[in-house]
Amino acid sequence: MACMYPASSNSPDILYPYIEKELKNLLENETNWISNAANAAATLGFLMPLLNWVGFYLYNGSELVLGPFWGKPAVTRIEMGKGVCGNSANSREIIVVEDVHQYPGHIACDLFSNSEIVLPLVKNDKLIGVLDIDSPEIGRFEDIDRIALEKLARIMIELIDFPLAD
Ligand code: SME
């Protein structure tokens, strides 16, 4: 595996196709889901500007449990319907939070987080869990980021053999 380099530009039209290419290169050559999820989180954390946490919470059939991540240690279990992650998992909708301090029930893991996007991961109508991304910048995640991250999440669902709850 070759070293990963930063993108030549952080403009979304250069950055996101580059991340997509790097992710596919990494994930297509490995079958272990933990290795792949860890590398996917680290790839986003390394390549996307202004992030402080990227990681997966996996649904175990009753709640969300912390999976591979990039960033500071985080809360290990999140009830369905609690916090941004639990709400996204319940509704199976992407939630973009411009300012986490204004979000009722937000669960703070890293005091530097000011905005957040959570993407539900669903395969064959079954909930895998969520991909959670935090930024120290208020309003970090715009429409263009949401659309690009939704595509990257689809690639992760396809290429990472996540465990599914019964
Ligand atoms: N902020 C999340 C909790 C997870 S940490 O951000 C890593 C939430 O409100 O669900």
Side-chain angles (χ1 to χ4, degrees), residues 34-133:
I34 296 177
S35 308
N36 275 345
N39 262 340
T43 298
L44 294 190
F46 173 58
L47 292 178
M48 288 180 66
L50 289 168
L51 300 188
N52 59 312
W53 203 90
V54 182
F56 297 93
Y57 280 93
L58 284 304
Y59 181 56
N60 70 359
S62 57
E63 62 187 345
L64 298 171
V65 184
L66 181 64
F69 67 94
W70 171 93
K72 290 185 185 160
V75 61
T76 52
R77 288 175 190 258
I78 298 177
E79 279 176 54
M80 294 295 281
K82 293 283 162 78
V84 192
C85 292
N87 280 324
S88 170
N90 241 356
S91 64
R92 300 187 175 196
E93 281 178 8
I94 297 174
I95 301 181
V96 179
V97 183
E98 190 179 350
D99 178 354
V100 297
H101 309 287
Q102 308 298 324
Y103 188 92
H106 170 259
I107 301 164
C109 289
D110 184 336
L111 293 176
F112 286 104
S113 294
N114 279 318
S115 64
E116 178 165 6
I117 180 169
V118 179
L119 301 105
L121 306 173
V122 176
K123 187 170 198 170
N124 301 331
D125 210 35
K126 291 193 79 174
L127 181 67
I128 296 167
V130 299
L131 170 62
D132 180 16
I133 307 177

Side-chain angles (χ1 to χ4, degrees), residues 11-31:
S11 115
D13 53 326
I14 306 276
L15 179 67
Y16 285 114
Y18 180 70
I19 295 177
E20 183 178 331
K21 184 174 69 93
E22 293 291 308
L23 263 186
K24 284 181 174 164
N25 282 343
L26 275 171
L27 305 183
E28 277 169 355
N29 293 308
E30 176 53 61
T31 55

